[in-house]
Amino acid sequence: MSSFDDYLQREDPWQQEQQAAPKPVHINLSLIAKRNLPASVADGPHDELIAAIMKLTHIRLDRENIADIDNLEMLGPVTNVYLQQNQIKQIENLDSLMTLRFLTLAGNQIDKIQNMRMLDELKFLDLSENKIESLDPDELPKSLMILNLTGNPCTHVINYRTSLLKALPNLQQLDLNEVTRQERLEAGCEVSDTSDEEEEEGEGEEMVGGPVVFGQDRDDDFLQLSADIILESQSRTQQYMALHEHHMDEIEEVRAQSQLTMNTGRSLKDSPRSDGSESKLSR
């Protein structure tokens, strides 16, 4: 077999990368430490590591190919958890995070909302770009103020938005759109006169006339956090698309070179040979 034939039988590196499915990752002490603590602490004495873990309030575990939500009982008073862009299929084992106020599970494989009603402090929930087909609003905590379900089949169900407004009395933003007083009235929700005045004057403790900002004295960080997540997600998506296009350009270049080599080989095969036969005939 020629070197060229051997080359054609080899798989493209990009194909090998796509076909090699990475092994699922499990949440453990080492992973939490690696992502959320300085290396000097993560690699230091075990008792100091545990003490540092217990003090964390923000846990970042995004893009780790995590398959299951587990082993979170080792954490302390956590308020923010980032689990977007993993391989999670089920919402579970969050009952140890009773102080949780901010949770993003965007870009996973979740097909059902469950095991969340006990999260009485949860204000922000991002479940966008999952596989949720049917929705039971009663499975969501009543405390939610921002909910994002864009990119799920359930958003196309009749009365989807109305059912959520009825079930979540504190909701101020749904699928990146503000919840208005008029929308609540049309959904049959109870709306107080004072909330109407606050919406018109913009003087209430919680601003309703634009991007959602929670109670000014303790919840200002939520608006910034939600904006940061959206910007970070857009940036990562652009990076992945650029990388993908680069790989595709490389593949096209290899294919073009292969086609050129094959055409050259055919041309040489079809051309008259100079093996001395003409000289023999002329004698």
Side-chain angles (χ1 to χ4, degrees), residues 165 168-169 171 179-189 191:
L165 294 183
L168 304 173
L171 200 62
V179 175
T180 64
R181 181 177 185 275
Q182 183 61 33
E183 190 175 19
R184 284 196 173 281
L185 288 172
E186 292 176 356
C189 304
V191 180

Side-chain angles (χ1 to χ4, degrees), residues 107-124:
N108 279 282
Q109 306 293 321
I110 297 167
D111 60 8
K112 182 180 181 180
I113 296 178
Q114 58 186 336
N115 303 319
M116 301 195 72
R117 281 182 286 183
M118 70 290 187
L119 300 175
D120 295 332
E121 297 294 321
L122 192 64
K123 309 293 184 184
F124 179 104

Side-chain angles (χ1 to χ4, degrees), residues 48-198:
E48 294 181 10
L49 171 61
I50 296 298
I53 290 286
M54 291 296 294
K55 292 179 181 178
L56 290 173
T57 58
H58 292 54
I59 302 295
R60 292 188 175 274
L61 293 171
D62 54 290
R63 298 174 176 84
E64 292 287 353
N65 203 45
I66 293 170
D68 301 298
I69 303 174
D70 202 1
N71 295 324
L72 298 180
E73 63 274 3
M74 69 181 77
L75 301 173
V78 171
T79 59
N80 297 51
V81 173
Y82 302 79
L83 282 165
Q84 71 270 27
Q85 303 301 328
N86 281 296
Q87 299 298 320
I88 297 168
K89 295 183 179 181
Q90 183 173 340
I91 303 174
E92 59 186 342
N93 299 320
L94 295 173
D95 50 329
S96 62
L97 304 180
M98 298 309 294
T99 57
L100 190 63
R101 302 174 66 205
F102 185 105
L103 174 63
T104 172
L105 286 161
N108 279 282
Q109 306 293 321
I110 297 167
D111 60 8
K112 182 180 181 180
I113 296 178
Q114 58 186 336
N115 303 319
M116 301 195 72
R117 281 182 286 183
M118 70 290 187
L119 300 175
D120 295 332
E121 297 294 321
L122 192 64
K123 309 293 184 184
F124 179 104
L125 176 61
D126 188 354
L127 284 167
S128 59
E129 305 303 329
N130 275 281
K131 299 181 178 181
I132 302 170
E133 295 188 2
S134 60
L135 178 65
D136 182 358
D138 291 332
E139 288 293 329
L140 293 163
K142 304 294 185 183
S143 56
L144 279 178
M145 301 180 79
I146 293 182
L147 174 62
N148 187 4
L149 288 165
T150 57
N152 284 282
C154 66
T155 59
H156 302 295
V157 174
I158 298 175
N159 295 326
Y160 154 77
R161 195 171 175 94
T162 299
S163 64
L164 285 170
L165 294 183
K166 289 182 177 180
L168 304 173
N170 297 306
L171 200 62
Q172 294 189 22
Q173 189 182 97
L174 175 59
D175 296 344
L176 308 179
N177 293 312
E178 173 197 350
V179 175
T180 64
R181 181 177 185 275
Q182 183 61 33
E183 190 175 19
R184 284 196 173 281
L185 288 172
E186 292 176 356
C189 304
E190 293 185 5
V191 180
S192 64
D193 294 335
T194 55
S195 64
D196 185 27
E197 295 174 1
E198 289 174 357

